[in-house]
Amino acid sequence: MRVRWNPIVKKDLQIAARSMRISWGLFAYEAVLTMTFLLALAVIQQQTGSFYSDGNVYHHLIYLFPVLAIAQVCIVTLIVPVITASSISGEKERQTFDIMLTTCMSPFSIVLGKVVSAVIHILFYVVGGLPIMALSFVVGGMDWSNLFYFILTIVLLSVFSGSIGIFCSSVCRKSISAVVLSYVFYFVIFVLTFIPAIIKGLFVNKGAGETMLLWLVNPIIFFEEFFMQIMSGESLFAGNFEKGDVGFLTFQLARGKTWMFVSGACILLLSVLFLLAAAWKVNPMHTSSVRRPGKKK
Amino acid sequence: MLYINDLTKKYGAFTAVNHLSLHIPEGDLFGFVGPNGAGKTTTIRIVCGLLRASSGQVRIGGTSAPVGSREMKRLIGYVPDFFGVYDNLKVREYMDMYGSMYGMHSRDIAKLTDDLLELVNLSDKKEVYVDTLSRGMKQRLCVARALLHNPKLLILDEPSSGLDPRARVEMKELLMNLHSMGKTIVISSHILSELSEMCTSIGIMNSGQLITAGRIEDIMQQLSGGKRIHIRLVSGMETAVRILKEQAGTVVESVRENEMIITNQGTDEQISALIGCLIQNQVVLTGFYREEGSLESLFMQLTGGGGQ
């Protein structure tokens, strides 16, 4: 059976591979990761030689992995909207999007192609950063399977960030507006989802209740759980909450690895919803996506 | 080939296309004419599935598939008025990408690309980056791209806008070539002289309404009420006027010293017989010719002088 590439993925990768942008991007990514590694190593060495330390550097080197991984997560989170937010609005600006819509590709295939090319783009960076990550495994004593799980979570994060970027790109006409809107969505999902639990915890004073379920779609909590599971094999929630502190459902989900998997599924589901919304938005057969054409150039 | 029935497109209170009905037969080269904002592009975008109509139906080639469906898209090749390019993409890759978007296999695309690039005279540009091509070449490439999936109907929205005279001539020749191959082509253009040279029929739009559509000669004849013929003569003016007034379907419009203008609704044979009759009655003619109306004058007349 012959595997057919999505033509948009093929085209986007072909164009990206020929531009200097990807080379400079890769260089910057590696540079930031190397700086992070060296900085973390310096801090660990300093702590090992302190008065309160047991003097065993290997007790601290294990923290190289989460530091480097969190650095990669932060970079990916920041650059994916820049890549994807200009994907559809960029096609609109170039006036190539109309031609795409007259072909046999469905709006969902177009949107999916854009996200897949963004994920592959990110994987270039992640794979390029593997030698630096490998150092944390050599001196940190981590299992190779952790690296595999880490790449999986990076793919999940790329899909999630990419779907937000694509949705914003389908809503906005200009790429810059799409990038700004993407970061607004980030703020809502990454920061504002904490607000109900904080308000309830501080002012209502009966625990956070089920408001913490909103955190299921928050990638910060997802990665916190992921790193907790890898480093200590425990959930942060399970160790810190009593039955009365949180709602019944939250308490049940906080046991073992349940939260991490359910959160991953929720993030993936939200990504699919964003993609469907983007596909609906770019489909010219939907009335709401129609606006009166402006004057010709 | 293309049936548009009672098509309407509204943007709030503004009506861009107002109850448009049109039939373009197979093999026709149809010119869409109208001033800016007449609704030509809106109509084209609806037919191509890029815009949803408020009401009305569009059918292509007898298929009952809805506008925007995959089946309908396979029947249409669309060339927009503006050619957007991707940096770092070669002509061959550009064709391959769009061929893939129609679900074609790379081997078939490669073969068709060679043929189509030859047709549009770009065979030597196959390995050239698209953004380095001239505007005329880009437009011809766009036509080749639109023909890749062998559509039944080729729709071009102002294909000559922004092109230099040479590129326009090349584009015109390409379209006439495609027409001779039996393709049904719809062109929207502002360059009326060009349309009158290549189109078999036209449709004139104004303020969202189709004012008239049909063969250019038929429309001209309808508007002038017949064929205007200029007759130049040396002597026998009175005899000529008398004979012509006696003929049914002939109106003497003006009489000057050595020239008269008549309107005749008869066939070419009847006009020929009429001229013969004048000569037999000793009217000395030095010449006669039929007045050829221009598309510009027709357009201005129909759009109330408000056009371009």
Side-chain angles (χ1 to χ4, degrees):
Chain A
M1 198 180 85
R2 202 168 71 99
V3 178
R4 284 181 75 96
W5 273 89
N6 183 317
I8 291 172
V9 177
K10 194 177 167 186
K11 183 263 294 176
D12 281 353
L13 293 181
Q14 230 165 11
I15 290 172
R18 283 176 184 155
S19 77
M20 281 302 286
R21 231 172 75 176
I22 197 162
S23 309
W24 283 113
L26 201 56
F27 172 75
Y29 188 84
E30 301 275 341
V32 171
L33 220 54
T34 307
M35 291 298 289
T36 311
F37 178 80
L38 293 174
L39 199 68
L41 206 60
V43 171
I44 287 169
Q45 279 180 335
Q46 201 180 22
Q47 282 186 348
T48 311
S50 70
F51 181 77
Y52 297 104
S53 170
D54 57 3
N56 187 353
V57 73
Y58 294 104
H59 281 171
H60 302 281
L61 279 177
I62 197 166
Y63 292 108
L64 275 176
F65 171 69
V67 169
L68 286 175
I70 288 168
Q72 291 207 63
V73 166
C74 291
I75 300 170
V76 168
T77 309
L78 287 174
I79 60 173
V80 170
V82 179
I83 297 171
T84 52
S86 59
S87 53
I88 288 179
S89 49
E91 297 278 359
K92 284 180 192 166
E93 283 169 10
R94 271 195 300 269
Q95 301 197 16
T96 46
F97 194 61
D98 279 353
I99 302 178
M100 250 181 214
L101 286 173
T102 58
T103 66
C104 289
M105 287 199 82
S106 66
F108 189 75
S109 308
I110 294 173
V111 162
L112 195 65
K114 289 288 179 190
V115 171
V116 171
S117 61
V119 171
I120 294 175
H121 204 131
I122 289 303
L123 281 177
F124 282 152
Y125 294 148
V126 174
V127 172
L130 277 183
I132 301 165
M133 282 295 281
L135 287 173
S136 71
F137 285 82
V138 173
V139 294
M142 303 296 294
D143 197 292
W144 70 270
S145 58
N146 293 334
L147 185 66
F148 172 73
Y149 294 135
F150 171 68
I151 291 176
L152 272 186
T153 57
I154 283 282
V155 170
L156 178 69
L157 180 70
S158 308
V159 171
F160 180 65
S161 308
S163 62
I164 292 175
I166 289 284
F167 174 72
C168 297
S169 192
S170 67
V171 173
C172 301
R173 282 200 146 186
K174 297 276 175 199
S175 300
I176 188 72
S177 325
V179 174
V180 172
L181 188 62
S182 296
Y183 287 120
V184 170
F185 268 97
Y186 266 32
F187 182 74
V188 171
I189 294 167
F190 284 63
V191 179
L192 291 189
T193 45
F194 286 111
I195 301 297
I198 292 170
I199 291 173
K200 198 156 191 299
L202 286 178
F203 302 108
V204 182
N205 212 14
K206 280 181 184 172
E210 302 290 15
T211 52
M212 282 168 66
L213 287 177
L214 273 177
W215 296 2
L216 282 170
V217 293
N218 191 328
I220 294 175
I221 302 294
F222 170 75
F223 275 99
E224 174 274 317
E225 279 295 287
F226 173 71
F227 289 122
M228 280 297 291
Q229 291 292 343
I230 281 185
M231 303 300 289
S232 64
E234 289 173 6
S235 166
L236 182 75
F237 295 143
N240 289 293
F241 297 123
E242 295 298 326
K243 214 166 187 177
D245 291 343
V246 292
F248 174 76
L249 202 55
T250 310
F251 186 77
Q252 295 302 321
L253 287 174
R255 288 177 171 184
K257 293 178 180 172
T258 318
W259 183 280
M260 191 178 72
F261 287 116
V262 173
S263 177
C266 287
I267 288 171
L268 196 63
L269 182 70
L270 196 60
S271 308
V272 173
L273 290 178
F274 272 119
L275 289 181
L276 288 172
W280 187 85
K281 193 72 192 153
V282 298
N283 190 342
M285 290 298 110
H286 293 299
T287 319
S288 63
S289 65
V290 172
R291 62 176 84 183
R292 194 180 159 185
K295 280 188 177 177
K296 285 193 173 175
K297 289 179 182 177
Chain B
M1 172 56 68
L2 175 64
Y3 298 88
I4 300 175
N5 185 28
D6 205 22
L7 191 75
T8 300
K9 176 67 192 172
K10 289 183 178 178
Y11 297 98
F14 176 76
T15 305
V17 179
N18 195 2
H19 300 286
L20 178 104
S21 292
L22 181 67
H23 169 223
I24 299 172
E26 194 169 350
D28 214 357
L29 207 166
F30 184 86
F32 234 147
V33 190
N36 276 343
K40 308 183 297 288
T41 300
T42 305
T43 307
I44 285 175
R45 287 177 69 82
I46 292 170
V47 172
C48 292
L50 293 171
L51 208 57
R52 187 178 176 176
S54 304
S55 64
Q57 295 92 41
V58 175
R59 280 196 300 128
I60 298 172
T63 174
S64 56
V67 173
S69 65
R70 196 168 286 195
E71 192 184 345
M72 196 76 134
K73 284 175 177 177
R74 281 192 190 281
L75 299 172
I76 301 172
Y78 172 59
V79 179
D81 57 336
F82 184 86
F83 187 90
V85 294
Y86 298 105
D87 297 336
N88 300 321
L89 204 63
K90 291 176 181 175
V91 167
R92 177 179 49 81
E93 292 161 350
Y94 175 83
M95 295 290 278
D96 184 65
M97 179 185 86
Y98 282 105
S100 305
M101 286 182 177
Y102 283 103
M104 296 165 69
H105 288 273
S106 292
R107 204 174 43 241
D108 300 335
I109 297 168
K111 193 183 171 303
L112 275 168
T113 298
D114 289 341
D115 296 344
L116 287 169
L117 290 182
E118 198 176 326
L119 180 75
V120 298
N121 207 13
L122 288 173
S123 296
D124 55 333
K125 305 287 180 192
K126 203 172 151 186
E127 296 299 328
V128 168
Y129 285 103
V130 178
D131 56 339
T132 62
L133 296 177
S134 70
R135 196 176 167 128
M137 286 177 182
K138 283 177 189 169
Q139 201 64 291
R140 295 207 309 272
L141 176 63
C142 205
V143 173
R145 189 268 309 152
L147 292 167
L148 202 52
H149 60 293
N150 195 20
K152 284 188 173 179
L153 177 67
L154 185 63
I155 299 177
L156 303 98
D157 191 4
E158 297 185 23
S160 302
S161 69
L163 298 186
D164 61 40
R166 187 187 171 85
R168 275 182 192 176
V169 171
E170 285 171 347
M171 178 57 80
K172 190 179 83 179
E173 282 172 0
L174 171 63
L175 294 176
M176 289 175 83
N177 197 5
L178 288 171
H179 178 233
S180 68
M181 290 173 179
K183 284 270 176 227
T184 308
I185 303 171
V186 175
I187 310 171
S188 136
S189 179
H190 282 163
I191 304 157
L192 303 178
S193 56
E194 201 174 79
L195 283 185
S196 64
E197 283 171 32
M198 61 179 170
C199 290
T200 47
S201 53
I202 57 160
I204 298 179
M205 281 191 83
N206 196 20
S207 305
Q209 287 182 314
L210 185 71
I211 299 170
T212 185
R215 298 180 69 79
I216 296 176
E217 310 90 75
D218 295 344
I219 295 172
M220 299 261 192
Q221 196 171 338
Q222 273 174 25
L223 287 169
S224 61
K227 293 163 187 159
R228 277 163 68 92
I229 300 161
H230 292 240
I231 302 172
R232 289 199 185 118
L233 38 84
V234 178
S235 63
M237 181 65 84
E238 285 177 15
T239 314
V241 171
R242 180 176 52 78
I243 291 169
L244 290 169
K245 281 186 175 173
E246 284 170 3
Q247 300 293 321
T250 304
V251 177
V252 178
E253 283 192 4
S254 70
V255 177
R256 278 181 278 170
E257 194 180 351
N258 290 320
E259 186 179 320
M260 63 195 303
I261 301 171
I262 65 165
T263 306
N264 187 288
Q265 291 178 338
T267 60
D268 286 353
E269 288 75 22
Q270 286 169 325
I271 293 167
S272 164
L274 191 64
I275 300 294
C277 179
L278 291 177
I279 293 167
Q280 278 174 2
N281 285 281
Q282 269 71 47
V283 176
V284 184
L285 304 182
T286 55
F288 54 90
Y289 67 93
R290 184 191 290 167
E291 194 177 280
E292 296 289 343
S294 68
L295 194 56
E296 277 91 348
S297 60
L298 177 70
F299 177 75
M300 296 299 275
Q301 193 180 338
L302 285 170
T303 56
Q308 294 185 344

